[in-house]
Every structure is written in C-alpha cells, then in structure tokens.
Amino acid sequence: MYQALYRKYRPLTFSDVSGQETITATLQNAIRSGRISHAYLFCGIRGTGKTTCAKILAKAVNCLNPKDGNPCGECENCKAVSSGATDIMEIDAASNNGVDNIRELREQVGFMPALLKYKVYIIDEVHMLSQSAFNALLKTLEEPPEHIIFILATTEINKLPATIVSRCQRYDFKRIPNEVISDRLMTVADKENINLSQDAARLIASLSDGGLRDAISFLDLCASLSDTVDIKCVQDACGSSDFEDICDIMGCIAAKDSDGIFEITERLYRDGNDMKILLGDILAFLRNMMIIKTTKNPAPLTGLTPQRFEKTRSAADGFSLDYIMYCMQTVSGVTVGQNPKIDAQLTLIKMIYPQSDDSIRSIISRIEKLEEGAVSRPQPAPRQKAEEKPAEKPTGKSDEKPAEIKEGQLTQWQSVINLLKTSNRPLFGVLFGSKAYFKDGRVLIDSPLSSFREMINSNPAAKEALKGAIAKIYGKAYPIGPYKKDGGKAESLGSPDDGDDPLVAFDQLIN
Ligand SMILES: [Zn+2]
C-alpha cells in the first residue's frame, strides 16, 4: 500500500524533529534527568510536530535504554510501542468528546500498565472536549497515579479551561520557518527521487504557513501530478495566481491604467481564478514591496526566489511607502461577497483613484502625489465600465441559492472545490481533478490521489471543511464517501445509515 510521505518521513527521535529545537532540547533534558511530568500540554498550529513529539515522548519515557534523551528504537519497550502497545492510548477528542469517554478513561487509569513503565494517554484536539468531560479530566489531572502520563495536544489553546492549562507543563510549538520547511522538502524529495526545484520548494513552504505536515503532503500531491515539481506545477496544484499576472496588475496600478486592470481581471475571472486568492496574492506582493522599502536586508524576509525578488523590487520603484500602505489598507479592508469580480475590480480601481476614497490614507496619498507634481487634477473616473458592472447578471453558480442535487455525477463539483481554494489549500490541492457523484443521500468522491483519502481519514478538520463547502453549494452537509468504480456505476457505502461518520467505512473500503 502506498504510504503518504508525511507518514513515511515522520521523525522517530527528538533529534530528527525540524524547527522545534527549544522544545525537543527541553524534553530530551527531562528524559536524561528523569524529571518526568504527569501532564504535558502541546499547543500550536497544525502540522508543527505536536503529535510527532507526543509519540516520541511516549516512547522515550518507556525506553529501557534512552540515548541522549531519545528513544533507542531497539529495546523491547520501544518495539512494543512501535507495534502499537496497549499502554499507549491515542484519543481523538474531536470524536470522543463526551463525559462518558473521559469517565471510561478515569476507570482505566487506575490499572497498572500491562507491559511498559508508563501508561501514556495522548489526547489530540483536546479543546473539543465538552465541559463535563473537562471536569472529569481535571479530577484525574489533580491526582494522577504515578504510572500515568497525559499528553494533551491542541490547536486552540484559548478554548481550554485555565484549570486544565495550569495543571500541565506547557509547550508552545512555533510555526516552522520557511527555510527549514524547504530544506526538509529537498531532503525528502532527494530520498524519494522526486525532481523538486529549489524555487518550488520555497513556494510550497510559503504556502504551508509554517506547517511541515501540510508542506510534505503538498509535495506528495505535486509529485503525483508531475514528474518534475517546479513552480508551474505547484501553482497549478494550489490554484495560486500567476506571479506575472500580479506583476502586470501592479504595473497597471502604478501607471493608472484602468483599461489594463479590467482587461487582466476579466481574463483571470474567465479562466476560473478565484478573486479572493487574487486579492490575497496582491496583498502579499504589496507586503513584500513594503519590506523592500523599509528594511536593510529584505530578500530573506520576503522568502521570494531571486528572480521574483528582483521583479518585486523594480515594481516597488513605482510606489512610495505611503502609497503602498494605502493600497494594503484598501485590499485588506475588502470583503469579497457575491460578486467577487466586481469586488476585486472596485478594490483595484480604488488604488488607482485614491481621490474617490475619502479615508485619511487617501488624503495622505493625494498630498504626496501633489507634492510630487504627478497629479494635479482629478482623473476622469472610469465611468462607462464602472456603470456596466452592477448591471451584470449574477453568475448563478455563486452562493445565493443552493444548487439542486440529483443522483449521478455532480455538475457543480468544481464550485465546491473552488470554495476550498482559500479556506483549505491542501484539501483543494488533493481534490484537484476529482469528480463526485450523488447516490443514496451521499456525495461519493472520486479522487485519483491516495493523499486525498489520507487527508480525509486522518484530519477531521479537512473532512468538516469539505462538508462545509458541499453545504454552501448544495445547501446541506451531505455525508461523504469514496466513489468506487464498478462497471461505471456509483456504489454507495455498505450501510447508508451510518450517516454522518463515513470514516471507518471509508477506510475499510479503500484499503
Ligand atoms: Zn528503547
């Protein structure tokens, strides 16, 4: 069976963990000195190594012969943990969040470990527990038996009661720096014989927002789409805007060329580009220009490839710092609504005509322009075009009215996928090129990628995001399942009434 790359390359010792040196050093010290706490709390954004470190810690505390604070991987205890010893319990609080689950856990903690030194409970997404479950857990945390260790992991520390947080030794996992992620990607690609360019590795790193797991999954996806993973391949897979288009738009803004703006945005919209992503990419471009204008050594801060950096730098020549900040404020204040194209065009035109925007920033920008002698009279507004826009008919495929769902292949599936472009890029990436069918009350998904199934099975948030997108287009969060080709007919899952929780069936059917 194909093993997802992020699983295959999951570190087995603290020394192998990328980008969390302070945390791993502290944990290694604790193991070396035998100062082991009974409750750990690992918090931080997804994909930064919380679960990985929890698994290593569970092994290290039980290892008979730890090496420099790392599990040896060879003793009988290490081997038992690797093969799934019963003394190590992983609980996903997202699906076991009730007080009964915790009561059951409290009964179990009274028993000695079957084999190992410590029973370790790893509770993932612990913020999902209900209030009464927290209360029950707190009782256990107050007086944990000697042989018990809790490792709680969460992406949302603010949702945890202070009483729980205060009983744990807390570790904050940082976003992993882009260079660390791209180095790791290059190493993985090298071992897997994937032809990955340095530029593409950097782009994947910058798209992953500090999460190494997402970055490796994304590499996995790109490698399944193309033999050579270059910038073009990554852009195709994630739907990000073409850098050249962004440069052209910035050029139009600097030259006050509204015809150019309409021409480019019309084309991008027609080609299926997401206007929200476009504005996000423009904001990122402006931010990089601001870095170039204000810092001594901007290149590493922008994370851009040398060619892109040079282009951004020459684009920045056409903008003053105040004007860049005005533009940034204009873009970041936009809410893309039911007419994304008009919203995007309005935003860009506002940048060209700050005088029609009466905010303080625009006044500054006007004064500055007057001082430069560049603009002394108001420019004619792009009247014809601006008036045409509101008359445009709604596209119909947008989110006003749910699309009708019918048995057979879903015609609006691409719209579902497009919704994920901004909210969940890795998920969007793995759904790229997929089809979906509706049968017996379920949406059955036919994705050519095994990483899609990996993601849905291992990541409840991804599953919820997908169902959310389905609900937006089809008006209801229909249960999902895999599509099984059987003489071209869509097969439903074994029992149609396991309704909302297709995960088990999903796994069984696929593997
Ligand atoms: Zn060992």
Side-chain angles (χ1 to χ4, degrees):
M1 191 190 119
Y2 177 76
Q3 194 185 14
L5 288 184
Y6 85 85
R7 277 181 199 248
K8 192 166 168 187
Y9 290 94
R10 177 170 257 170
L12 297 174
T13 64
F14 290 122
S15 310
D16 289 343
V17 173
S18 303
Q20 306 293 356
E21 287 73 15
T22 322
I23 291 175
T24 50
T26 314
L27 292 173
Q28 274 172 277
N29 264 332
I31 299 289
R32 271 196 295 258
S33 61
R35 283 195 313 270
I36 292 164
S37 164
H38 286 282
Y40 293 86
L41 175 60
F42 291 176
C43 42
I45 61 159
R46 55 187 255 113
T48 47
K50 298 184 295 298
T51 314
T52 298
C53 283
K55 284 172 192 266
I56 299 171
L57 181 60
K59 209 183 237 181
V61 294
N62 281 302
C63 179
L64 300 172
N65 183 27
K67 290 184 177 142
D68 195 29
N70 282 312
C72 74
E74 283 157 11
C75 68
E76 55 182 294
N77 281 7
C78 280
K79 283 184 178 157
V81 175
S82 297
S83 57
T86 50
D87 291 330
I88 311 292
M89 252 81 51
E90 288 183 49
I91 300 162
D92 178 10
S95 44
N96 303 285
N97 56 2
V99 66
D100 289 344
N101 298 106
I102 299 297
R103 275 211 194 103
E104 197 184 312
L105 182 149
R106 283 181 61 200
E107 280 161 25
Q108 287 172 15
V109 299
F111 297 106
M112 294 301 287
L115 184 69
L116 306 173
K117 281 190 271 183
Y118 293 99
K119 264 186 173 179
V120 183
Y121 289 88
I122 301 173
I123 309 183
D124 219 351
E125 299 297 344
V126 68
H127 62 271
M128 303 283 276
L129 291 182
S130 65
Q131 190 57 49
S132 45
F134 272 129
N135 291 341
L137 178 63
L138 189 60
K139 290 203 177 116
T140 317
L141 287 178
E142 273 165 356
E143 288 171 43
E146 272 303 299
H147 58 272
I148 297 289
I149 295 174
F150 282 100
I151 309 174
L152 313 179
T154 180
T155 47
E156 297 181 50
I157 182 78
N158 55 321
K159 290 192 180 160
L160 288 191
T163 43
I164 298 273
V165 178
S166 66
R167 309 236 169 240
C168 300
Q169 219 177 74
R170 172 175 167 175
Y171 293 83
D172 289 87
F173 284 66
K174 293 178 300 184
R175 282 195 159 76
I176 302 171
N178 284 357
E179 315 85 75
V180 176
I181 294 183
S182 63
D183 285 352
R184 182 77 185 145
L185 291 174
M186 292 305 285
T187 310
V188 170
D190 192 44
K191 287 188 179 153
E192 289 289 310
N193 287 320
I194 297 168
N195 190 2
L196 171 68
S197 77
Q198 189 83 50
D199 287 354
R202 281 196 212 163
L203 181 57
I204 296 176
S206 68
L207 289 169
S208 309
D209 195 27
L212 183 56
R213 187 182 55 211
D214 283 350
I216 295 180
S217 298
F218 211 86
L219 171 66
D220 208 348
L221 160 76
C222 294
S224 69
L225 297 175
S226 158
D227 294 337
T228 299
V229 179
D230 54 15
I231 292 246
K232 176 84 179 60
C233 169
V234 177
Q235 270 171 352
D236 286 350
C238 73
S240 75
S241 321
D242 192 283
F243 188 75
E244 297 302 323
D245 286 327
I246 304 287
C247 286
D248 290 348
I249 289 174
M250 298 317 291
C252 290
I253 291 171
K256 299 194 158 293
D257 173 8
S258 12
D259 292 276
I261 294 281
F262 281 104
E263 215 168 276
I264 299 171
T265 48
E266 291 289 339
R267 172 172 56 78
L268 293 178
Y269 187 73
R270 208 172 44 234
D271 292 350
N273 284 270
D274 187 315
M275 295 291 112
K276 217 167 162 181
I277 291 183
L278 177 71
L279 290 178
D281 289 338
I282 288 174
L283 185 60
F285 194 100
L286 286 161
R287 170 190 169 270
N288 287 335
M289 294 209 297
M290 179 174 73
I291 291 172
I292 288 170
K293 291 273 186 197
T294 56
T295 63
K296 286 201 184 81
N297 183 19
L301 285 170
T302 61
L304 293 168
T305 64
Q307 295 93 319
R308 287 184 175 204
F309 179 76
E310 274 318 310
K311 286 199 168 173
T312 310
R313 198 204 323 248
S314 62
D317 288 343
F319 289 76
S320 73
L321 180 58
D322 265 334
Y323 188 43
I324 291 171
M325 296 200 313
Y326 163 71
C327 290
M328 289 179 81
Q329 209 180 34
T330 308
V331 180
S332 51
V334 177
T335 323
V336 176
Q338 296 201 341
N339 291 299
K341 183 176 73 177
I342 296 174
D343 292 336
Q345 289 173 338
L346 175 67
T347 309
L348 297 173
I349 295 301
K350 253 191 192 172
M351 291 187 202
I352 296 189
Y353 297 98
Q355 61 266 46
S356 55
D357 181 351
D358 54 7
S359 67
I360 301 274
R361 272 283 155 224
S362 79
I363 293 167
I364 291 172
S365 170
R366 282 171 68 186
I367 292 169
E368 189 186 82
K369 290 261 178 279
L370 285 170
E371 280 170 354
E372 285 169 7
V375 182
S376 52
R377 62 186 172 81
Q379 298 271 326
R383 196 172 300 130
Q384 290 148 330
K385 274 170 180 161
E387 276 170 9
E388 273 168 23
K389 298 304 140 189
E392 186 185 62
K393 285 190 68 154
T395 51
K397 72 174 177 183
S398 73
D399 24 41
E400 313 143 39
K401 223 192 271 173
E404 195 188 347
I405 197 154
K406 281 188 279 194
E407 295 270 306
Q409 188 171 351
L410 294 181
T411 50
Q412 301 287 316
W413 184 241
Q414 192 55 43
S415 307
V416 174
I417 298 177
N418 287 345
L419 279 179
L420 296 163
K421 255 187 193 174
T422 32
S423 58
N424 193 324
R425 282 198 189 193
L427 183 57
F428 167 76
V430 295
L431 281 169
F432 200 75
S434 66
K435 294 193 187 84
Y437 303 84
F438 189 66
K439 182 132 202 296
D440 299 332
R442 285 168 181 280
V443 173
L444 306 174
I445 298 149
D446 182 15
S447 166
L449 301 170
S450 62
S451 40
F452 165 67
R453 297 186 292 268
E454 271 284 343
M455 189 178 286
I456 290 295
N457 283 328
S458 64
N459 182 346
K463 195 181 77 171
E464 284 316 307
L466 177 53
K467 290 175 72 173
I470 291 171
K472 275 205 182 126
I473 299 297
Y474 287 105
K476 188 183 154 195
Y478 290 97
I480 57 174
Y483 171 75
K484 194 174 145 200
K485 283 197 184 67
D486 186 14
K489 272 172 64 185
E491 280 275 309
S492 78
L493 294 166
S495 74
D497 51 6
D498 51 337
D500 236 346
D501 187 18
L503 277 191
V504 176
F506 215 106
D507 254 329
Q508 285 166 350
L509 200 73
I510 304 280
N511 294 330

